[in-house]
Amino acid sequence: MALQFELVTPEKLVRSEAVHMVVVPGSEGEFGVLEGHTPLMSTMRNGLVMIYKTDGAQPETIAIEGGFAEVNERGLTILAERVIG
Amino acid sequence: MASLKELKGRIASVKSTQKITKAKQMVASAKLRKAQAAAEAARPYAHRLERVMASLGSKVAISDSSPKLLAGTGKDQVHLIIVASSDRGLCGAFNSNIVKAARVKARELEAAGKTVRFYLVGRKGRAVIVREYPKQVDGYFDTTALRSQGFAEAQSIAAELIAMYERGQFDVAHLFYSKFRSALVQEPVGKQIIPVAIPTGDAPATNAAMEYEPDEEEILTELLPRNVTIQIFGALLENAASEQGASMTAMDNATRNAGELINDLTIVYNRTRQAAITTELIEIIAGAEAL
């Protein structure tokens, strides 16, 4: 049960890894993405992306600025304008 | 024939030129690696954005209510040509190739009865365009103070262009820059960036049940300016890599030419010196025999 997760900014590919769950700060509310999530495209507001490597693990947070997220059968792709820190 | 002293001076001056070109070549090859890495790092984002655009584009029908960036202004009269050039010289025909490509396009458009305006990025292309089309330059983005052109610059260029577009200052925008093929080959290219051309063909077929948040139109509206920014950002990066590549090649040639020139001059110098010695000896011998 792994979700293929990618975080990309215009400057570089920040992350590309298999994780358990990612919580995305969507513009209409946060949502968590697990493996097998229905295909979805959402814009994002500035906020924190929370990455859960395994079930129940301490989440790793990455602050991002704007952009959008796409979930398809291949996994989750976050296209962020900028990654802070 | 030049005197010995003159020859010596010339050899020294060619040698110092060679030192400069050699230094510039080494600097360019070091910078090229960095610029190339930056251009490569930017590719995944551009690639994914294109895919998203393609899948959205197949969903949204172009109508009168769709955003102007996608549907166009409904006219095809005023064309804006964006010329991205470098700020520094010593890079061979790099800048003149870009300007040449832009000029060909401008002539073509003018021959078709269109109005052509210019927007310039970078210092080197500016002088040429301003000289030729002094009244048609709408804007200039100064990058001389920057060490490298980043995403922030692309954003402000895109913001300015979109503002101009919203005010109705132009109908179609073309971007001219140099595409980086290899250190030896840079290809000046032009492409239309406004209105945004939706890429086709790459759309994944299995997204029939895609959910959108907020909805397709709104996402597209947000995506379009971003697409313009990315196109410009990509062009800036390609340009930076191309400039260093062109510079490296040009400086390599210059260094080699200087080396050849030094060899030729040294041969002439040695011959002249030998001739002078021989003449002197003959004079001494002739003088001694006359006694």
Side-chain angles (χ1 to χ4, degrees):
Chain A
M1 277 288 279
L3 168 77
Q4 193 55 42
F5 165 64
E6 279 184 352
L7 174 58
V8 203
T9 69
E11 259 133 29
K12 64 175 197 266
L13 180 66
V14 183
R15 282 295 162 84
S16 178
E17 60 193 0
V19 296
H20 175 65
M21 178 173 82
V22 179
V23 176
V24 182
S27 52
E28 300 195 338
E30 291 188 354
F31 56 91
V33 181
L34 283 159
E35 199 210 2
H37 194 283
T38 180
L40 166 83
M41 191 177 294
S42 170
T43 51
M44 294 187 299
R45 58 185 161 72
N46 302 349
L48 296 174
V49 175
M50 278 183 267
I51 306 160
Y52 294 79
K53 282 250 158 71
T54 53
D55 195 4
Q58 218 24 269
E60 179 192 356
T61 58
I62 299 177
I64 55 145
E65 241 173 52
F68 55 98
E70 188 198 11
V71 185
N72 58 23
E73 64 281 0
R74 272 169 295 202
L76 166 69
T77 308
I78 294 182
L79 299 176
E81 197 100 301
R82 214 154 76 83
V83 166
I84 301 154
Chain B
M1 178 147 307
S3 76
L4 278 179
K5 190 157 181 291
E6 268 170 26
L7 279 171
K8 233 181 183 169
R10 278 192 66 190
I11 292 172
S13 98
V14 176
K15 260 189 187 153
S16 63
T17 308
Q18 192 190 27
K19 260 183 209 151
I20 294 170
T21 58
K22 197 160 193 177
K24 174 73 182 155
Q25 185 209 337
M26 287 194 286
V27 170
S29 60
K31 280 190 178 168
L32 172 67
R33 227 165 295 145
K34 238 166 90 188
Q36 221 176 331
E40 262 157 35
R43 248 168 237 164
Y45 190 94
H47 183 68
R48 292 200 172 81
L49 189 67
E50 196 169 292
R51 226 177 46 202
V52 172
M53 290 283 294
S55 66
L56 270 178
S58 59
K59 289 261 157 64
V60 181
I62 296 179
S63 64
D64 292 341
S65 64
S66 36
K68 270 214 283 183
L69 274 175
L70 182 64
T73 52
K75 286 178 294 181
D76 183 29
Q77 183 54 38
V78 185
H79 286 246
L80 183 77
I81 294 185
I82 304 149
V83 184
S85 59
S86 73
D87 289 321
R88 272 164 239 275
L90 289 183
C91 47
F94 171 73
N95 287 309
S96 57
N97 280 344
I98 297 174
V99 170
K100 213 186 287 164
R103 219 178 327 174
V104 167
K105 183 77 184 173
R107 294 241 174 82
E108 201 178 287
L109 288 169
E110 279 180 339
K114 314 282 187 207
T115 315
V116 176
R117 314 289 304 175
F118 285 95
Y119 184 89
L120 308 172
V121 180
R123 193 165 65 95
K124 282 287 169 185
R126 184 166 166 248
V128 192
I129 300 279
V130 169
R131 195 184 323 129
E132 197 155 336
Y133 302 96
K135 296 210 174 66
Q136 284 162 257
V137 176
D138 277 346
Y140 168 57
F141 190 84
D142 192 3
T143 50
T144 43
L146 305 163
R147 287 198 61 202
S148 66
Q149 304 178 340
F151 189 61
E153 283 71 51
Q155 267 178 324
S156 43
I157 294 171
E160 201 176 334
L161 288 176
I162 289 167
M164 281 166 75
Y165 185 66
E166 297 288 337
R167 284 198 299 270
Q169 275 178 271
F170 62 88
D171 302 317
V172 182
H174 305 273
L175 173 64
F176 280 87
Y177 65 100
S178 191
K179 208 175 172 80
F180 182 81
R181 289 241 175 279
S182 71
L184 289 170
V185 184
Q186 300 84 31
E187 184 190 352
V189 288
K191 65 176 173 193
Q192 183 184 323
I193 55 166
I194 299 174
V196 176
I198 294 280
T200 49
D202 199 23
T206 51
N207 58 1
M210 196 80 148
E211 279 177 33
Y212 292 92
E213 244 185 71
D215 57 31
E216 288 100 322
E217 292 261 341
E218 260 176 77
I219 293 183
L220 197 58
T221 314
E222 191 173 316
L223 225 67
L224 289 168
R226 194 158 294 161
N227 184 278
V228 175
T229 312
I230 291 299
Q231 301 257 11
I232 293 171
F233 182 57
L236 288 182
L237 289 176
E238 290 272 345
N239 238 9
S242 300
E243 182 199 346
Q244 300 307 337
S247 175
M248 208 174 98
T249 322
M251 287 305 110
D252 186 43
N253 274 336
T255 309
R256 203 166 322 121
N257 286 344
E260 275 168 27
L261 194 54
I262 289 171
N263 284 346
D264 289 351
L265 283 174
T266 312
I267 288 172
V268 175
Y269 175 78
N270 286 342
R271 285 217 182 110
T272 316
R273 193 177 58 100
Q274 195 65 55
I277 292 168
T278 314
T279 324
E280 231 169 83
L281 275 176
I282 290 172
E283 274 166 10
I284 292 168
I285 294 166
E289 268 177 10
L291 285 177

